[in-house]
């Protein structure tokens, strides 16, 4: 994706903008609309055929609902807990769930540039930030999750849309680090590209 479209300089940043554009097609909440830039919305209409755009938008929206349901099911009846979202991108879920579940602490992790841009957009749109959410700036390809969390044990860790970018070996490594930071009985939620994971899986 050309940089002049305003979608960031790395493939990850560009993908985050495209997903935000897809999400905003069906998610009309103030948070979702605040987190998509005009270029993001324009690009998804240019790179997807109209019918494909509808399907892609519905897929992104449905995936988000599934993640939210799994998180809420896990923590809603607990007196306290911590939910961590790796590579949170421009998802509005953290803020929305923090508002809905004030007894749960939410932590979003992403690259410094993504976090700073996300907070800037939320501030520009006058979105109220709940007190029970925090952002951590880190490259999880360089720093382990345990280091980012300062060895905190958490209730739920999610990685929405992250694993399909990696080989099966890398997926195992990321999942291992995620599970290391879970408290006893904790939950790790992610989505994996089925075909890719089978293709990359070692024969033994």
């Amino acid at each position: 994706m050309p940089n002049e479209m305003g979608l960031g300089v790395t493939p990850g940043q560009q993908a985050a903008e495209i997903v935000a554009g897809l999400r905003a097609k069906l998610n009309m909440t103030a948070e979702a609309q605040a987190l998509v830039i005009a270029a993001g919305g324009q690009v998804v209409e240019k790179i997807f055929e109209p019918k494909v755009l509808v399907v892609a938008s519905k897929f992104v929206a449905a995936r988000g609902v599934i993640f939210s349901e799994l998180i809420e099911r896990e923590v809603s009846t607990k007196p306290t807990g911590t939910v961590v979202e790796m590579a949170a991108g421009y998802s509005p879920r953290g803020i929305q769930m923090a508002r809905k579940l004030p007894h749960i602490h939410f932590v979003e992790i992403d690259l410094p540039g993504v976090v700073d841009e996300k907070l800037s957009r939320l501030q520009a749109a006058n979105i109220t930030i709940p007190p029970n959410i925090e952002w951590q700036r880190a490259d999880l390809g360089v720093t382990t999750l345990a280091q980012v969390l300062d060895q905190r044990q958490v209730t739920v860790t999610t990685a929405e849309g992250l694993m399909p970018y990696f080989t099966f070996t890398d997926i195992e490594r990321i999942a291992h680090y995620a599970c290391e930071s879970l408290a006893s009985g904790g939950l790790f939620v992610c989505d994996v590209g089925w075909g890719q994971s089978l293709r990359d899986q070692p024969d033994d």
Side-chain angles (χ1 to χ4, degrees):
M1 193 66 56
N3 293 340
E4 57 266 23
M5 295 301 291
L7 296 185
V9 296
T10 70
Q13 290 172 334
Q14 293 161 13
E17 295 285 12
I18 291 170
V19 171
L22 289 171
R23 188 183 292 113
K25 293 296 179 183
L26 294 179
N27 188 336
M28 300 307 294
T29 63
E31 293 83 7
Q33 296 303 310
L35 291 170
V36 62
I37 57 174
Q42 293 166 2
V43 166
V44 296
E45 293 178 354
K46 290 180 179 178
I47 64 177
F48 293 104
E49 294 291 335
K51 291 183 179 179
V52 176
L53 176 59
V54 171
V55 173
S57 299
K58 288 183 177 179
F59 167 76
V60 169
R63 184 178 66 183
V65 169
I66 292 169
F67 271 67
S68 297
E69 288 289 335
L70 290 172
I71 294 168
E72 186 168 357
R73 189 181 303 174
E74 184 69 18
V75 302
S76 60
T77 60
K78 289 180 168 58
T80 61
T82 300
V83 174
V84 173
E85 183 159 4
M86 303 182 343
Y90 299 115
S91 169
R93 179 173 53 242
I95 291 176
Q96 292 170 343
M97 294 202 75
R99 194 175 292 129
K100 185 176 183 180
L101 302 168
H103 64 294
I104 301 298
H105 188 70
F106 289 82
V107 182
E108 291 192 349
I109 304 171
D110 215 314
L111 297 171
V114 174
V115 172
D116 291 342
E117 178 63 21
K118 183 172 190 173
L119 294 177
S120 176
R121 293 180 192 182
L122 291 170
Q123 182 178 22
N126 295 315
I127 301 297
T128 301
I129 307 298
N132 55 320
I133 185 169
E134 67 173 279
W135 282 268
Q136 292 289 337
R137 298 162 176 81
D139 182 348
L140 291 174
V142 176
T143 308
T144 67
L145 182 60
Q147 290 173 317
V148 176
L149 296 175
D150 196 23
Q151 310 303 321
R152 280 182 287 177
Q153 297 288 286
V154 304
T155 315
V156 178
T157 298
T158 72
E160 180 185 354
L162 177 63
M163 299 304 196
Y165 289 97
F166 295 95
T167 65
F168 184 84
T169 300
D170 287 331
I171 289 170
E172 283 189 317
R173 176 179 55 82
I174 295 168
H176 173 73
Y177 286 141
C179 291
E180 273 189 334
S181 293
L182 288 176
S184 177
L187 177 68
F188 176 49
V189 185
C190 70
D191 53 320
V192 178
W194 176 254
Q196 179 186 20
S197 65
L198 290 180
R199 182 177 67 248
D200 295 329
Q201 188 169 8
D203 294 334
D204 58 356

